[in-house]
C-alpha cells in the first residue's frame, strides 16, 4: 500500500471525467485502494509507538528510592530517543535513558513525570506517571544546644523538622507550658521543601527563665522531640507547677522546674517526708526528676514539694498536688455480629471500672464518624450507654466504637455490625400468548441485590428442577452449583431434546433453557434465591401450544 500515491491516482482519474471536481476525500482515497478497516488498524499499529511508564503511580517514603521505566511497544521498533520531563520541564541529563531512578526522595521529587519517545521519522508519543510522598514521621533537621549565660541578653532557640505531612512544632519548659509572658515569642514558618522551622525568642533573659527547653515535632505519622538546658547564673528559683493527674497502674515522672545556676542538688518530699520512701520511688538529685513506678490510688496521691539549693546555702521550693485517677475499663464486645435488613439491634457499652466524671461517646468507622440514620444513643446512667437501631438497613453495616474517658485516660471498644441484605430477583417472563411445540425458549433469573453466600434454584409447579450440564452453553460459564443440587436433589425434567436445562452463569444469575418444547412443559416456573437474610421467589407462567 503506497499511501503517498493515493491522492495523485484518485485525482488523475477524476480529472478525465470532471476536471473541476474538488480534491478527493479520505473516504474516496480509501475506496480507491480498497483498504479495509482491518488494513487501517494494522497500518496504525505498524507505524505507531505506544509508550507506558511503569508503575503509573508510586508512593515513596521520605529519603526512599524508586524507579520509573518507560516501556515502548511497536511492531516497527527502530531507532528512537527518550526524553524525561517533570511537571512539564525537561530533566537535564535524562535523555536516552529508559529507566529513571530517584534516590533519597524528598518532597521536591514528587509530581508528574513524562517520558517522550521520538522515532527517527519524527513521530512522537508520551506517557505520564505520578510520584507521591508517603507519610513520614518527623525528623529533627536542626536543634539548639545547651547554653550558660548571665542575665540580660536576648536568647533565641531554634528547631527545624522534616516529615510528611509537614509537622507542627510545640515548645515546653521542664515538661510544662511556657510561661505566659510577653518576653516569650515563638515564630515559625514552612520552607519550600515542607520543613517546619521554629524559633523561641526570649528577650532580656532572667534567672527564672533557666531550665530544660523542649521542642516537639508532631504529625500523623509520629512524634519526635529535642531537649537542652538554658542555664542562667543566679540563685535557685522554682517555677509554680500545675496540679498533676496520674493514672493508676502506670508510671509517673515529675521534673522540678528549677532555674538558677549552678545548682547543688534538688530533693523531693511528699506530705513533709523526704523521698524516696520505698523501692517504687526514685529521685535524681542533679536533674530534679521524681519517678514513681506503678502509681497506686490512695497511696501516691498527696502534696509533693521539690527543694533546690546551691553551695552558698540559698534554696527555693515549690509544692504541687498529685491526684491518682483510675482509668476507665470497658466490658468487651463481640468482635462481629450479623443481623438482617428490617430487624432491630442494639449495642451496650458498659464501663466496669474507672473514676468519675466519665464521658461516653459513639462513632462509626472512624473517630467521630456519624452513626447514620435511625440510630439513637441513650445514656442509661454514669457507666452505661446503649446504641440502638429501630430498623436496620444496608447503610448500617460498619464498625461501631464506644469511647469512654475521664481525666486519666480514654479507652475504646469496637464491634462490627453486618446487615444482611435479602435477595432481589429481576423480573422475567415467557411470551404472554404462549409458544409452539418444537421451538425452544430460555429465561435468566438474575439477582440484582443481596449479600453472599447466595444460592439460586428453579422449581416447576412447586417441584425442584434439577441442575444439569449446560450442554450447548459456554463451558466456562456452565458451572454447576453443588449447594443448590444438594438442597433440591433430582427434580422434574424430561430427557433428551425435551429436557429442562439449568445453567449457573455466575454467582448471581441462572439460566433455564428448554431446547425443544412439548406440551408437558406448560406450567409455572419459579426462580428461588436464598441467602442468610431471606428466601425470595419469582414465578412466570409458560404456555406451550400445539402446532
Amino acid at each position: 500500500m503506497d499511501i503517498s500515491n493515493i491522492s495523485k491516482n484518485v485525482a488523475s482519474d477524476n480529472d478525465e471525467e470532471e476536471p473541476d471536481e474538488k480534491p478527493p476525500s479520505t473516504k474516496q482515497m480509501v475506496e480507491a485502494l480498497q483498504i479495509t478497516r482491518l488494513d487501517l488498524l494494522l497500518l496504525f499499529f505498524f507505524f505507531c509507538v505506544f509508550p507506558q511508564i511503569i508503575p503509573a503511580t508510586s508512593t515513596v517514603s521520605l529519603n526512599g528510592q524508586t524507579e520509573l521505566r518507560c516501556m515502548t511497544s511497536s511492531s516497527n521498533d527502530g531507532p528512537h530517543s527518550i526524553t524525561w520531563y517533570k511537571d512539564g520541564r525537561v530533566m537535564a541529563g535524562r535523555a536516552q535513558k529508559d529507566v529513571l531512578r530517584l534516590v533519597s526522595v524528598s518532597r521536591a521529587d514528587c509530581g508528574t513525570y513524562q517520558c517522550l519517545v521520538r522515532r527517527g521519522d519524527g513521530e512522537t508519543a508520551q506517557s505520564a506517571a505520578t510520584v507521591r510522598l508517603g507519610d513520614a514521621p518527623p525528623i529533627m533537621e536542626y536543634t539548639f544546644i545547651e547554653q550558660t549565660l548571665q542575665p540580660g541578653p536576648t536568647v533565641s532557640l531554634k528547631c527545624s523538622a522534616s516529615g510528611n505531612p509537614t509537622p507542627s512544632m510545640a515548645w515546653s519548659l521542664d515538661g510544662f507550658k511556657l510561661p505566659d509572658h510577653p518576653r516569650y515569642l515563638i515564630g515559625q514558618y514552612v520552607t519550600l521543601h515542607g520543613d517546619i522551622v521554629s524559633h523561641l525568642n526570649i528577650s532580656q533573659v532572667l534567672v527564672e527563665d533557666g531550665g530544660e527547653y523542649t521542642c516537639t515535632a508532631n504529625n500523623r505519622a509520629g512524634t519526635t522531640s529535642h531537649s537542652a538546658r538554658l542555664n542562667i547564673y543566679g540563685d535557685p528559683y522554682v517555677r509554680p507547677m500545675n496540679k498533676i493527674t496520674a493514672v493508676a497502674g502506670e508510671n509517673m515522672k515529675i521534673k522540678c522546674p528549677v532555674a538558677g545556676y549552678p545548682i547543688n542538688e534538688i530533693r523531693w518530699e511528699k506530705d513533709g517526708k523526704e523521698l524516696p520512701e520505698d523501692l517504687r520511688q526514685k529521685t535524681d538529685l542533679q536533674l530534679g526528676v521524681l519517678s514513681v513506678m506503678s502509681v497506686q490510688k490512695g497511696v501516691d496521691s498527696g502534696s509533693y514539694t521539690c527543694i533546690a539549693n546551691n553551695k552558698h546555702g540559698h534554696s527555693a521550693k515549690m509544692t504541687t498536688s498529685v491526684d491518682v485517677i483510675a482509668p476507665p475499663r470497658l466490658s468487651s464486645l463481640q468482635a462481629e455480629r450479623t443481623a438482617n435488613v428490617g430487624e432491630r439491634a442494639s449495642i451496650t457499652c458498659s464501663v466496669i471500672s474507672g473514676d468519675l466524671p466519665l464521658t461516653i461517646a459513639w462513632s462509626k468507622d472512624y473517630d467521630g464518624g456519624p452513626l447514620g440514620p435511625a440510630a439513637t444513643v441513650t445514656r442509661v446512667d454514669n457507666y452505661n450507654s446503649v446504641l440502638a437501631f429501630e430498623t436496620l438497613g444496608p447503610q448500617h453495616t460498619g464498625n461501631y466504637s464506644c469511647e469512654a474517658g475521664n481525666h486519666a485516660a480514654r479507652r475504646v471498644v469496637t464491634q462490627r455490625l453486618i446487615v444482611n441484605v435479602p435477595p432481589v430477583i429481576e423480573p422475567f417472563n415467557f411470551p404472554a400468548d404462549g409458544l409452539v411445540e418444537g421451538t425452544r425458549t430460555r429465561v435468566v433469573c438474575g439477582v440484582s441485590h443481596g449479600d453472599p453466600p447466595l444460592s439460586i434454584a428453579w422449581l416447576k409447579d412447586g417441584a425442584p428442577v434439577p441442575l444439569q450440564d449446560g450442554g450447548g452453553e459456554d463451558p466456562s460459564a456452565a458451572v454447576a452449583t453443588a449447594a443448590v443440587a444438594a438442597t433440591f436433589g433430582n427434580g422434574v425434567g424430561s430427557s433428551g431434546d425435551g429436557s429442562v436445562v439449568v445453567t449457573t452463569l455466575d454467582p448471581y444469575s441462572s439460566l433455564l433453557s428448554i431446547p425443544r418444547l412439548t406440551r408437558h412443559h406448560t406450567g409455572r416456573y419459579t426462580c428461588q434465591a436464598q441467602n442468610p437474610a431471606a428466601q425470595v421467589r419469582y414465578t412466570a407462567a409458560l404456555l406451550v401450544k400445539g402446532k
Side-chain angles (χ1 to χ4, degrees):
M1 290 179 286
D2 188 357
I3 297 180
S4 62
N5 294 324
I6 293 177
S7 178
K8 182 189 300 182
N9 294 338
V10 174
S12 61
D13 292 341
N14 291 340
D15 286 345
E16 297 177 2
E17 300 176 4
E18 298 180 26
D20 297 330
E21 187 179 354
K22 296 180 180 179
S25 66
T26 302
K27 180 178 179 181
Q28 291 172 316
M29 294 167 64
V30 171
E31 290 175 348
L33 284 177
Q34 296 183 343
I35 299 177
T36 67
R37 186 174 300 176
L38 179 60
D39 292 330
L40 289 176
L41 188 61
L42 292 174
L43 192 67
F44 177 76
F45 276 98
F46 183 79
F47 285 103
C48 290
V49 179
F50 304 98
Q52 181 183 11
I53 298 180
I54 300 177
T57 302
S58 299
T59 301
V60 191
S61 59
L62 189 66
N63 297 319
Q65 60 183 8
T66 188
E67 68 176 32
L68 304 177
R69 186 176 297 272
C70 185
M71 308 290 292
T72 60
S73 60
S74 170
S75 49
N76 185 30
D77 286 335
H80 62 268
S81 64
I82 296 177
T83 306
W84 286 94
Y85 292 77
K86 179 184 180 294
D87 297 331
R89 296 185 178 183
V90 176
M91 301 181 68
R94 303 290 186 175
Q96 305 297 336
K97 296 181 180 179
D98 60 347
V99 176
L100 176 65
R101 291 184 175 87
L102 304 176
V103 297
S104 190
V105 172
S106 66
R107 186 174 277 100
D109 295 312
C110 297
T112 300
Y113 289 80
Q114 295 168 285
C115 72
L116 179 70
V117 180
R118 184 185 302 275
R119 287 198 335 194
D121 59 6
E123 182 193 353
T124 62
Q126 63 177 333
S127 180
T130 302
V131 175
R132 299 188 180 98
L133 189 64
D135 285 358
I139 298 175
M140 288 293 180
E141 303 292 347
Y142 182 92
T143 55
F144 58 95
I145 61 173
E146 181 173 337
Q147 302 179 59
T148 301
L149 306 169
Q150 293 288 348
T154 294
V155 174
S156 181
L157 308 179
K158 174 185 175 182
C159 283
S160 69
S162 61
N164 192 57
T166 298
S168 60
M169 190 79 76
W171 292 84
S172 61
L173 174 57
D174 288 323
F176 297 93
K177 292 178 60 177
L178 294 177
D180 186 13
H181 197 284
R183 293 187 300 105
Y184 285 76
L185 182 62
I186 297 176
Q188 56 188 26
Y189 62 92
V190 177
T191 68
L192 293 175
H193 297 294
D195 295 352
I196 181 75
V197 179
S198 183
H199 293 265
L200 170 60
N201 299 309
I202 310 171
S203 59
Q204 298 177 348
V205 67
L206 304 176
V207 174
E208 55 261 39
D209 296 325
E212 185 179 70
Y213 287 83
T214 301
C215 60
T216 301
N218 175 73
N219 66 9
R220 66 188 178 211
T223 301
T224 189
S225 62
H226 167 76
S227 300
R229 285 196 61 84
L230 176 63
N231 301 311
I232 309 298
Y233 285 101
D235 290 336
Y237 176 88
V238 181
R239 287 181 294 275
M241 294 177 282
N242 297 328
K243 185 176 181 179
I244 297 172
T245 299
V247 180
E250 299 184 4
N251 299 334
M252 176 180 71
K253 183 178 287 187
I254 312 174
K255 181 176 178 61
C256 185
V258 175
Y261 186 82
I263 299 296
N264 186 38
E265 67 173 11
I266 305 170
R267 298 180 291 107
W268 280 93
E269 295 180 351
K270 178 182 180 293
D271 299 330
K273 296 181 180 180
E274 187 168 351
L275 301 178
E277 290 184 301
D278 57 42
L279 295 177
R280 293 186 305 110
Q281 301 168 341
K282 292 182 180 180
T283 56
D284 188 321
L285 299 180
Q286 298 301 314
L287 299 178
V289 176
L290 168 65
S291 302
V292 182
M293 309 296 289
S294 187
V295 173
Q296 300 175 11
K297 185 176 176 65
V299 175
D300 296 314
S301 299
S303 296
Y304 288 78
T305 302
C306 71
I307 306 165
N309 58 64
N310 62 15
K311 293 183 178 180
H312 302 290
H314 299 149
S315 64
K317 64 181 181 179
M318 191 62 64
T319 299
T320 187
S321 62
V322 173
D323 284 341
V324 179
I325 299 179
R329 187 160 66 94
L330 300 174
S331 60
S332 60
L333 294 175
Q334 183 180 349
E336 184 176 288
R337 61 180 294 191
T338 60
N340 297 326
V341 169
E343 294 180 348
R344 290 186 291 271
S346 64
I347 308 173
T348 300
C349 180
S350 297
V351 184
I352 57 179
S353 67
D355 290 337
L356 295 173
L358 285 165
T359 61
I360 304 177
W362 290 89
S363 60
K364 178 176 182 283
D365 293 333
Y366 58 90
D367 186 23
L371 299 175
T376 59
V377 175
T378 302
R379 183 69 178 264
V380 179
D381 52 34
N382 287 331
Y383 311 103
N384 295 278
S385 177
V386 177
L387 171 63
F389 304 91
E390 183 65 27
T391 304
L392 286 172
Q395 71 275 15
H396 292 126
T397 293
N399 297 308
Y400 291 88
S401 298
C402 171
E403 180 184 75
N406 60 11
H407 294 305
R410 311 189 76 80
R411 300 289 185 264
V412 178
V413 291
T414 300
Q415 181 177 89
R416 178 162 181 78
L417 176 63
I418 299 176
V419 182
N420 291 321
V421 179
V424 175
I425 298 177
E426 297 174 341
F428 59 89
N429 290 286
F430 296 100
D433 55 351
L435 294 169
V436 179
E437 279 188 305
T439 59
R440 57 178 175 268
T441 188
R442 59 174 57 189
V443 289
V444 173
C445 175
V447 179
S448 59
H449 297 81
D451 294 325
L454 184 71
S455 63
I456 304 176
W458 287 90
L459 299 91
K460 177 179 181 291
D461 298 330
V465 175
L467 280 176
Q468 299 183 29
D469 186 6
E473 303 300 327
D474 179 3
S476 64
V479 181
T481 306
V484 179
T487 302
F488 297 99
N490 294 323
V492 177
S494 60
S495 59
D497 292 337
S499 63
V500 177
V501 181
V502 175
T503 305
T504 299
L505 301 178
D506 57 45
Y508 308 103
S509 57
S510 176
L511 171 69
L512 182 142
S513 60
I514 306 174
R516 184 179 178 84
L517 287 169
T518 62
R519 288 194 177 185
H520 79 267
H521 288 124
T522 296
R524 296 174 61 82
Y525 288 83
T526 300
C527 175
Q528 177 177 278
Q530 181 174 344
N531 71 357
Q535 180 187 92
V536 297
R537 294 182 176 187
Y538 186 87
T539 301
L542 171 62
L543 173 62
V544 181
K545 300 179 294 187
K547 294 183 179 179

